[in-house]
Amino acid sequence: MVRYLQMARKKAREAIIETELVFAYAKVNRLADLEEFISSPNIAQIQQVGDRCYDEGLYEPARILYNNVSNYARLASTLVHLEEYQAAVTVLARQTVPKHGKKFVSRVLKPESSGWLRCVVST
């Protein structure tokens, strides 16, 4: 599928083709190609693909995509699914509108073997 979409992209640069190519890279776990593609000029719907990845449990590609579009709330939620709790708190601290952080994050103290605070993020 990736090869077909790459060929189609050479023939016609359309948003739907580029969007599906981004999703194909995510689906087959070609993360280096995904990062390279989204860092270059494109017309793909990155947020839409990030949401699709998140819904399908493809959290690592979703992390890359949400970071690219600066969707900090969804990025934080994705990081929690990846069990990167400290990174999730750090991402929410970077938000330009901190009131949204209160909406999405609640810190719950739970006894953990590692002694970390566990962050629960709801979407």
Side-chain angles (χ1 to χ4, degrees):
M1 182 59 95
V2 170
R3 289 186 118 164
Y4 173 77
L5 290 168
Q6 288 171 328
M7 182 187 68
R9 182 175 184 246
K10 288 180 182 175
K11 295 281 184 186
R13 288 195 61 156
E14 296 180 21
I16 188 72
I17 294 171
E18 292 194 4
T19 300
E20 291 306 314
L21 180 57
V22 169
F23 185 69
Y25 282 143
K27 192 78 173 166
V28 296
N29 208 33
R30 288 178 53 178
L31 301 181
D33 292 327
L34 174 66
E35 289 188 77
E36 181 180 338
F37 185 88
I38 64 174
S39 66
S40 64
N42 66 75
I43 53 174
Q45 301 294 316
I46 305 297
Q47 175 69 45
Q48 176 188 345
V49 178
D51 292 341
R52 285 172 64 189
C53 290
Y54 185 91
D55 292 342
E56 292 194 21
L58 302 169
Y59 298 118
E60 191 59 36
R63 180 192 63 79
I64 293 166
L65 297 167
Y66 288 139
N67 193 45
N68 180 265
V69 295
S70 302
N71 185 338
Y72 297 125
R74 283 294 261 197
L75 178 58
S77 178
T78 302
L79 289 168
V80 168
H81 282 286
L82 292 169
E83 298 183 3
E84 297 179 20
Y85 305 114
Q86 186 60 44
V89 172
T90 302
V91 163
L92 285 173
R94 286 192 323 202
Q95 281 194 160
T96 56
V97 184
K99 68 179 181 177
H100 290 114
K102 292 177 186 173
K103 179 180 176 185
F104 290 100
V105 173
S106 63
R107 294 177 199 153
V108 180
L109 288 173
K110 290 187 178 182
E112 304 267 343
S113 59
S114 64
W116 284 88
L117 290 177
R118 184 175 180 94
C119 297
V120 179
V121 178
S122 62
T123 56

